[in-house]
Amino acid sequence: MTEIYPTIAQCAIVATAFKILLFPAYKSTDFEVHRNWLAITNSLPLWEWYYEKTSEWTLDYPPFFAYFEWILSQVAKLADPAMLRVYNLGYDSWQTVYFQRFTVIATELMLVYALQLFVDSSHGVTKRAAQAAAISILLSPGLLIIDHIHFQYNGAMYGVLILSLILARHKSGLLASGLVFAALLCMKHIYLYLAPAYFVYLLRTYCLSPKSIFRIQFLNCLKLGSGILGIFGLAFGPFAIKNQIPQILSRLFPFSRGLCHAYWAPNVWAMYSFVDRVMIFVAPRLGLPVRTEAINSVTRGLVGDTSFAVLPEITPRVCFALTLLFQVIPLVKLFFRPNWDAFVGAVTLCGYSSFLFGWHVHEKAILLVIIPFSLIALKDRRHLSAFRPLAVSGHVSLFPLLFTPAEFPIKTVYTIFWLVLFLMVFDRTAPASKSPRFFLFDRFTILYITVSIPLIVYCSLLHQIIFGKSYEFLPLMFMSSYSAIGVVGSWVGFMVVYFAS
């Protein structure tokens, strides 16, 4: 078989060299979070992991991720044992920094493996498209910003997610797909947002007969159910013995947090918050009451929750209801037409719904949408048309995570280069769709991308030159609201494409 160049391995090698150069770059508080988790899992008995609170950065990921940190800690002691002391808060020797940076690169091999499997499982013309999509994920500005500068381990976990999706491509891999996804849930609970799509797809294709939805394949149900119970037993069983499950759940689901951060994730609530800010000036003329205590909630900078001065407050129940509603809609089609493209589309739309309507959503969660969507973005030009504004808005929305001057050229140049390169490649690779494209949506995409450049320049450079340290909330509000329009527009476009396909 003819090799397509550049290969995934070649790109991974070049990307690794570039990422090593970023070792001394800015690191967020997430770096100390993971150093503290290394110390907790290495220094304390298993039963104390979810009770330890010397640092404010307590362990709040599921047990498999805690076990993962314990494994890393066994190697960490060879680099610098001091990083494994629980009371050594804020410790960041160069050995610690380089070790933790290296572990992100090393564990990202899971992503490389999954992407290669995705390419190998594609054939003919679609293989070239799969190669382009795979390389775009591997070189994603989102993963570069979040993992290799800001600091997290998303690359490895999205590798597990992609592996699970690829296994579901063939009937022989359905059981393994469900078990791999169950293991992923025990590593990071944010993937629960995608679980409804897995439930419906595995129910329809593995647990029910393909000839009739009224015929249950009991052996398959038994294998899948016992496998999932076994995985959750391995993860949570040791803690269940000590009656620590309520304590773990209180760490995993802290509902006491507010709807939004001061920097709003680019979702429906960002647009809602923007309208509320505008209404502060309009409300007095309309005779509407304004809650003065909420006026300053958005002007505190990067940290804090946003409350509303004019519009009604949003409750967790409202968020849950809207998220569930807009997840159920695509799942209906998936249930009656359970093919792989519809499955990945449903996973993507579940990610959209949770991101757009969820409670206390982090801007980094946009990768829940971008990465699965990338696998099917080149199915045809209608899919690509819906993907374009997401690619721009999703990555631009991550810029405020890196607010130091030294990282400005890195995030800006790299992201713009990635967008120009891959949107051009995608445009040449995506085949024509069998159905007509949407003229207005194509025009919206062009206009939206055009606005991004001056917005980035203003928010990153001009605002500080003009206003100094005054009105610090404005660039964040503009960036979040602009990005929200792109994400919402992309969601609406893909929802139409999903049901029209």
Side-chain angles (χ1 to χ4, degrees), residues 309-346:
V310 180
L311 298 178
E313 295 290 342
I314 303 299
T315 65
R317 289 185 178 182
V318 171
C319 293
F320 178 78
L322 289 173
T323 300
L324 185 61
L325 171 65
F326 287 107
Q327 285 189 341
V328 167
I329 294 173
L331 295 180
V332 173
K333 176 184 176 179
L334 179 63
F335 183 82
F336 290 104
R337 295 185 181 178
N339 58 72
W340 188 77
D341 284 342
F343 170 51
V344 178

Side-chain angles (χ1 to χ4, degrees), residues 22 46 85 153 165 167 194 212 242 315 338 364 377 414 476:
L22 298 176
L46 185 73
R85 297 169 189 162
Y153 290 94
L165 292 172
L167 287 171
L194 310 182
S212 172
K242 294 285 187 177
T315 65
K364 291 168 281 194
Y414 186 90
L476 299 175

Side-chain angles (χ1 to χ4, degrees), residues 176-321:
S177 173
L179 299 183
V180 169
F181 183 71
L184 180 62
L185 292 180
C186 293
M187 286 197 73
K188 193 170 184 179
H189 50 301
I190 193 173
Y191 296 101
L192 275 171
Y193 288 131
L194 310 182
Y198 274 86
F199 175 80
V200 171
Y201 187 66
L202 292 174
L203 173 68
R204 188 65 180 84
T205 58
Y206 190 73
C207 296
L208 300 179
S209 171
K211 297 179 180 179
S212 172
I213 62 174
F214 300 105
R215 291 175 58 186
I216 301 174
Q217 301 189 89
F218 288 101
L219 181 59
N220 285 355
C221 292
L222 180 62
K223 288 189 289 186
L224 181 60
S226 59
I228 292 174
L229 286 175
I231 288 171
F232 275 82
L234 285 174
F236 292 92
F239 302 96
I241 294 172
K242 294 285 187 177
N243 296 317
Q244 293 186 358
I245 299 302
Q247 173 65 16
I248 294 177
L249 294 179
S250 69
R251 288 282 184 88
L252 299 184
F253 303 102
F255 287 109
S256 59
R257 296 174 182 173
L259 175 67
C260 302
H261 296 284
Y263 171 58
W264 315 318
N267 58 11
V268 167
W269 307 128
M271 301 171 73
Y272 189 85
S273 299
F274 180 79
V275 172
D276 183 74
R277 297 303 113 182
V278 174
M279 290 295 292
I280 291 174
F281 303 98
V282 177
R285 300 181 182 181
L286 300 177
L288 299 174
V290 178
R291 292 184 288 276
T292 55
E293 69 275 8
I295 292 178
N296 294 326
S297 71
V298 77
T299 63
R300 291 193 297 253
L302 292 172
V303 180
D305 296 321
T306 299
S307 56
F308 302 110
V310 180
L311 298 178
E313 295 290 342
I314 303 299
T315 65
R317 289 185 178 182
V318 171
C319 293
F320 178 78

Side-chain angles (χ1 to χ4, degrees), residues 133-149:
I135 294 175
S136 77
I137 294 173
L138 180 64
L139 304 181
S140 165
L143 291 176
L144 183 80
I145 290 172
I146 297 173
D147 283 7
H148 300 280
I149 302 179

Side-chain angles (χ1 to χ4, degrees), residues 357-427:
F357 302 101
W359 178 266
H360 199 77
V361 174
H362 290 256
E363 62 281 350
K364 291 168 281 194
I366 191 61
L367 294 182
L368 275 177
V369 185
I370 294 176
I371 288 182
F373 199 167
S374 298
L375 301 180
I376 56 172
L378 296 179
K379 182 180 178 181
D380 60 37
R381 301 190 71 81
R382 295 180 80 183
H383 283 72
L384 177 59
S385 184
F387 179 77
R388 282 198 199 100
L390 173 69
V392 176
S393 59
H395 290 118
V396 168
S397 71
L398 299 173
F399 279 12
L401 288 174
L402 306 180
F403 49 85
T404 51
E407 278 65 45
F408 171 75
I410 297 174
K411 69 181 182 183
T412 306
V413 173
Y414 186 90
T415 302
I416 292 175
F417 177 78
W418 184 94
L419 288 170
V420 171
L421 174 63
F422 282 102
L423 291 183
M424 286 179 59
V425 171
F426 284 8
D427 192 60

Side-chain angles (χ1 to χ4, degrees), residues 414-457:
Y414 186 90
T415 302
I416 292 175
F417 177 78
W418 184 94
L419 288 170
V420 171
L421 174 63
F422 282 102
L423 291 183
M424 286 179 59
V425 171
F426 284 8
D427 192 60
R428 295 180 179 182
T429 307
S433 55
K434 297 179 181 178
S435 304
R437 293 161 64 185
F438 305 106
F439 176 81
L440 290 178
F441 190 73
D442 286 344
R443 301 288 82 76
F444 161 77
T445 300
I446 294 172
L447 177 63
Y448 185 81
I449 294 175
T450 303
V451 172
S452 65
I453 301 300
L455 181 74
I456 293 171
V457 172

Side-chain angles (χ1 to χ4, degrees), residues 121-123 165-175 177 201 340:
S121 67
S122 304
H123 304 283
L165 292 172
I166 302 310
L167 287 171
R169 204 166 192 173
H170 304 288
K171 188 175 181 180
S172 58
L174 290 173
L175 176 60
S177 173
Y201 187 66
W340 188 77

